[in-house]
Amino acid sequence: MDCSYFDAGVCRSCTLMGVPYAEQLAGKDRHSRELLSPFGDAVWLPPVASAESGYRNKAKMVVSGTVDAPTIGILDEAGRGVDLRECGICAPGVRAALPVLADFVTRARIEPYSVPDRRGELKYVLVTLSPDDELMVRFVVRSEESVGRIRALLPELLAALPHARVVTVNLQPEHKAVVEGEREIVLTAESSLVMRVGGIPLRLRPQSFFQTNTAVAEALYAQVAAWVDEVSPASVWDLYCGVGGFALNVAAPGRRVVGVETSTEAVRSARATASAAGLPLVAFRAGDATAFALGAKTAPELVIVNPPRRGIGAELAGWLEGSGVPSVVYSSCNPKSLAHDLARMPSYRIRTGRVLDMFPQTGHQEVAVLLERARD
């Protein structure tokens, strides 16, 4: 993949840009295998490749510049806007929306936020594309000052972006690097975007996490479902479940599945999907994964964990170690934190694993492992 932004030195976010893709994939596979080799003689499956470009279903774009000439992209070291509306790793449908949104900023007279001056309204535009080419658009602003103008011009925006199904305004008043605030104002009739993945119509609400690479996410869900079916547990926990991707994909007759997630919006999404799919044995709880595990009276036969980059941490790892749970599926976006967690769980060994390239052109990767408790 070629990138004019990278070549010009204005954006270096994709640290592997210019490295042949086959070399990128082989390097990530080798790195994970070597890093995790102390934790069992695993059978490693071939890595899952991604499209080299156009794979990101979501763009978190900083808005800067002026009302009449807004930039949509990132900030440079001085806090000035760098326009990246033609970013090649974003899906075509996302890229097509960005110029329209830049024009809307001008027409709605929403002043971009200036980090150096700590002045302005609009901090980010967040755009998510579904597999059906539908869009969720979120404006992150500091106050309600611009909400009325955005609402008044919404018909024009929807005419210019006919695939937009969800449009919201998120309020984030603080002068710090936090992407979004707690309050969300939904402007459209629809409040969730349907992400049809693996035949399951996941409902993505604002402030809900979803993998940024839809095709590789589908492969990840399928791989984990295959491992779970092979183990054939009667009960499963899906901790850090997001909108329920793993929980809903491992559902089976007679199998009780509980998903746990801190985001109440994500839990609402997951419950709606489970209800629409007629899955009475799949339930979701809003709360902290570690607190849920520590407070449970009984443990399931299999636990799935899909934590943020920091990993599950010492407390949950310690609970798993002493729980007696026979099998664990750990999906990680950071092999280093996965290795740290596995070192805290010496009773488990990696039975099989797989690298999935969720983030081409970068050094990040997803790795999933099936862990089995060692027999005495």
Side-chain angles (χ1 to χ4, degrees), residues 300-319:
E301 294 182 8
L302 185 144
V303 173
I304 300 168
V305 291
N306 182 32
R309 288 190 59 78
R310 65 178 179 273
I312 63 174
E315 198 170 14
L316 183 53
W319 180 87

Side-chain angles (χ1 to χ4, degrees), residues 92-330:
V94 172
R95 289 201 306 273
L98 297 179
V100 176
L101 294 172
D103 180 62
F104 184 79
V105 169
T106 300
R107 288 187 290 115
R109 311 308 292 173
I110 317 170
E111 183 185 1
Y113 181 69
S114 170
V115 171
D117 299 328
R118 296 165 68 93
R119 185 183 70 242
E121 273 295 306
L122 181 59
K123 290 187 167 186
Y124 298 90
V125 290
L126 311 179
V127 184
T128 304
L129 181 74
S130 79
D132 297 325
D133 290 328
E134 296 182 335
L135 293 168
M136 177 188 292
V137 176
R138 302 171 63 206
F139 297 94
V140 181
V141 300
R142 288 187 55 227
S143 73
E144 294 188 55
E145 184 272 334
S146 60
V147 175
R149 296 195 302 279
I150 296 173
R151 192 189 300 274
L153 292 174
L154 182 62
E156 293 183 27
L157 178 61
L158 296 177
L161 287 178
H163 296 296
R165 290 291 173 267
V166 182
V167 179
T168 75
V169 176
N170 178 274
L171 300 181
Q172 206 299 84
E174 298 182 84
H175 293 281
K176 61 182 183 181
V178 176
V179 174
E180 58 189 6
E182 294 183 3
R183 187 179 173 198
E184 197 89 22
I185 302 172
V186 180
L187 303 179
T188 47
E190 297 292 335
S191 59
S192 62
L193 184 69
V194 175
M195 305 291 287
R196 219 173 297 277
V197 182
I200 296 177
L202 300 172
R203 286 163 172 77
L204 183 65
R205 296 177 64 85
Q207 303 188 46
S208 298
F209 170 78
F210 187 78
Q211 301 283 4
T212 58
N213 189 323
T214 306
V216 177
E218 185 167 1
L220 175 62
Y221 294 155
Q223 180 61 76
V224 170
W227 284 341
V228 172
D229 284 345
E230 184 179 344
V231 174
S232 192
S235 54
V236 175
W237 289 354
D238 176 11
L239 305 183
Y240 313 92
C241 70
V243 295
F246 288 123
L248 294 160
N249 273 276
V250 304
R255 179 180 296 161
R256 293 192 172 274
V257 182
V258 177
V260 181
E261 168 61 44
T262 57
S263 168
T264 56
E265 288 298 294
V267 169
R268 287 179 65 187
S269 303
R271 286 173 175 167
T273 304
S275 176
L279 298 173
L281 296 183
V282 180
F284 294 94
R285 305 282 183 265
D288 177 75
T290 300
F292 175 83
L294 294 176
K297 295 180 180 179
T298 59
E301 294 182 8
L302 185 144
V303 173
I304 300 168
V305 291
N306 182 32
R309 288 190 59 78
R310 65 178 179 273
I312 63 174
E315 198 170 14
L316 183 53
W319 180 87
L320 282 167
E321 174 65 16
S323 67
V325 172
S327 303
V328 175
V329 174
Y330 195 133

Side-chain angles (χ1 to χ4, degrees), residues 17-34:
M17 188 66 68
V19 178
Y21 183 64
E23 186 177 328
Q24 292 184 34
L25 188 60
K28 293 178 181 184
D29 187 50
R30 181 172 58 253
H31 172 70
S32 286
R33 294 185 187 215
E34 291 174 354

Side-chain angles (χ1 to χ4, degrees), residues 24-91:
Q24 292 184 34
L25 188 60
K28 293 178 181 184
D29 187 50
R30 181 172 58 253
H31 172 70
S32 286
R33 294 185 187 215
E34 291 174 354
L35 186 63
L36 300 175
S37 61
F39 305 106
D41 297 324
V43 175
W44 284 92
L45 300 173
V48 174
S50 167
E52 296 181 40
S53 62
Y55 64 83
R56 282 193 66 96
N57 60 30
K58 177 186 284 188
K60 295 182 179 181
M61 293 299 200
V62 179
V63 182
S64 190
T66 66
V67 170
D68 292 311
T71 63
I72 294 184
I74 59 174
L75 299 179
D76 64 14
E77 293 180 356
R80 295 168 303 201
V82 176
D83 198 277
L84 300 178
R85 67 184 72 180
E86 294 297 328
C87 175
I89 65 172
C90 291

